[in-house]
Amino acid sequence: MAARQSKKPYIAQSVEMIRSAAYLDLSGNAVKLLILMHTHWRMYEPIAYSITEAQKRIGCCRGKAHEAFRELESHGFIKLMLEGHFSKQLARKWRLTFREFNDHKPSDEWRNWQSQN
C-alpha cells in the first residue's frame, strides 16, 4: 500500500511579477516581508502585520522593518486597508495587490511602478 502524502501549503508567485522592474528593485528585507505577508493571505480578510512582527521575522531593526513596508507600498505590492493603533496593540491591516480580495480581481499596482532614476 502506498504511503499517503499530506498536502503541504505553498506560495506561488507569478514569474511575470518576479521579473518586473518593481520586484527587481526591492531590497532583500522587502522581498522577505512580502513572502511572509503572503503566508497570511486570505480572500476575505486583510493581513494584520505589524512592524514589530516584521522586525522579529526578518531579523532586522525596527527602522529597516518600517522601510520594508514603505518599499512594498510604494512599489505597489501592498495597500494599507486599516491604520493600526500602537497603544491598543492593533497592527495595520494590508491587502496584497497581486491577489484577489473580497471577490475583486487583483489590482496589480506593481505593474505601473517606474524607477525614479
Side-chain angles (χ1 to χ4, degrees), residues 5-64:
Q5 292 183 354
S6 64
K7 289 188 175 186
K8 295 180 182 177
Y10 65 93
I11 294 173
Q13 290 183 331
S14 76
V15 172
E16 179 186 10
M17 187 178 85
I18 292 170
R19 289 181 179 163
S20 72
Y23 193 91
L24 293 173
D25 190 64
L26 293 174
S27 67
N29 285 340
V31 171
K32 201 183 287 188
L33 177 58
L34 185 61
I35 292 168
L36 290 168
M37 290 179 79
H38 202 172
T39 66
H40 293 277
W41 174 82
R42 301 291 177 271
M43 167 76 88
Y44 298 104
E45 193 175 321
I47 300 164
Y49 219 94
S50 69
I51 291 173
T52 302
E53 184 175 3
Q55 177 185 353
K56 289 176 188 174
R57 303 255 185 227
I58 294 172
C60 64
C61 68
R62 187 169 185 77
K64 291 289 184 186

Side-chain angles (χ1 to χ4, degrees), residues 22 26 70-79 95-98 107-113:
L26 293 174
R70 280 197 326 254
E71 206 174 323
L72 290 175
E73 192 172 24
S74 71
H75 283 63
F77 292 103
I78 62 174
K79 184 128 180 123
R95 73 172 172 85
L96 302 174
T97 66
F98 55 92
S107 59
D108 288 330
E109 292 155 22
W110 55 269
R111 292 177 190 271
N112 301 323
W113 181 86

